[in-house]
């Protein structure tokens, strides 16, 4: 069954991307090291992908019986964090990008979640003004 992506997920993605842009502007102000910017945007991409995976696993888990849902959600959370650790490990090993800034980019998901009510109000204001 094909489902429509939730409005909250879209708002979360907008918050993550806005966080990335603001962080990049600050980063460019203090340092022009390319590996820092690459690390940041890898983290932002991981945050967007992690938010989608979280939405998908919650949506799927809510259709399951309680015991299966708990197992499924636990397994999905572990998969998400293992993927993050592996990618950060690869960044540390290859020195392609800064893993600390990749982690900072991933934390954009947390910042966006806290700012979600503000983002929701802004989008509501914009859409109401266009009508």
């Amino acid at each position: 069954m094909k489902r429509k992506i939730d409005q909250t997920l879209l708002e979360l993605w907008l918050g993550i991307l806005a966080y990335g842009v603001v962080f990049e502007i600050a980063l460019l102000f203090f340092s022009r090291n390319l590996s820092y910017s690459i690390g940041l945007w890898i983290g932002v991409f991981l945050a967007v992908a992690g938010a989608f995976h979280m939405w998908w696993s919650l949506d799927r888990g809510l259709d399951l019986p309680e015991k299966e849902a708990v197992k499924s959600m636990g397994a999905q959370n572990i998969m998400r964090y293992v993927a993050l650790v592996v990618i950060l490990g690869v960044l540390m090993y290859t020195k392609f990008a800064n893993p600390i800034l990749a982690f900072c980019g991933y934390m954009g998901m947390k910042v966006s979640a806290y700012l979600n009510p503000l983002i929701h109000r802004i989008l509501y204001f914009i859409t109401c003004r266009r009508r």
Side-chain angles (χ1 to χ4, degrees):
M1 172 185 346
K2 191 173 182 175
R3 295 188 179 172
K4 187 177 149 188
I5 292 180
D6 189 47
Q7 181 70 25
T8 306
L9 177 62
L10 294 175
E11 292 170 359
L12 189 64
W13 283 348
L14 283 174
I16 292 168
L17 293 175
Y19 169 85
V21 168
V22 169
F23 204 111
E24 179 68 28
I25 290 169
L27 193 59
L28 289 174
F29 185 71
F30 291 109
S31 174
R32 301 234 183 238
N33 190 339
L34 185 61
S35 71
Y36 291 174
S37 292
I38 293 170
L40 173 69
W41 288 104
I42 287 172
V44 167
F45 173 75
L46 288 173
V48 167
F52 177 79
H53 183 262
M54 195 178 307
W55 169 79
W56 175 81
S57 60
L58 278 169
D59 189 50
R60 192 174 134 224
L62 290 174
D63 292 337
L64 298 173
E66 184 179 354
K67 288 189 179 196
E68 289 180 39
V70 170
K71 286 180 187 177
S72 174
M73 293 305 301
Q76 296 299 322
N77 287 339
I78 290 170
M79 277 181 30
R80 195 167 39 254
Y81 287 119
V82 165
L84 176 65
V85 168
V86 166
I87 292 171
L88 289 178
V90 167
L91 290 179
M92 288 170 61
Y93 181 74
T94 62
K95 299 189 186 330
F96 171 70
N98 190 311
I100 294 172
L101 284 168
F103 183 75
C104 288
Y106 188 76
M107 287 295 105
M109 184 174 8
K110 305 291 185 191
V111 172
S112 180
Y114 287 125
L115 294 177
N116 190 267
L118 175 65
I119 294 167
H120 180 74
R121 272 189 241 127
I122 291 170
L123 289 178
Y124 181 76
F125 179 74
I126 290 171
T127 56
C128 285
R129 298 268 301 179
R130 286 196 300 186
R131 289 184 192 171

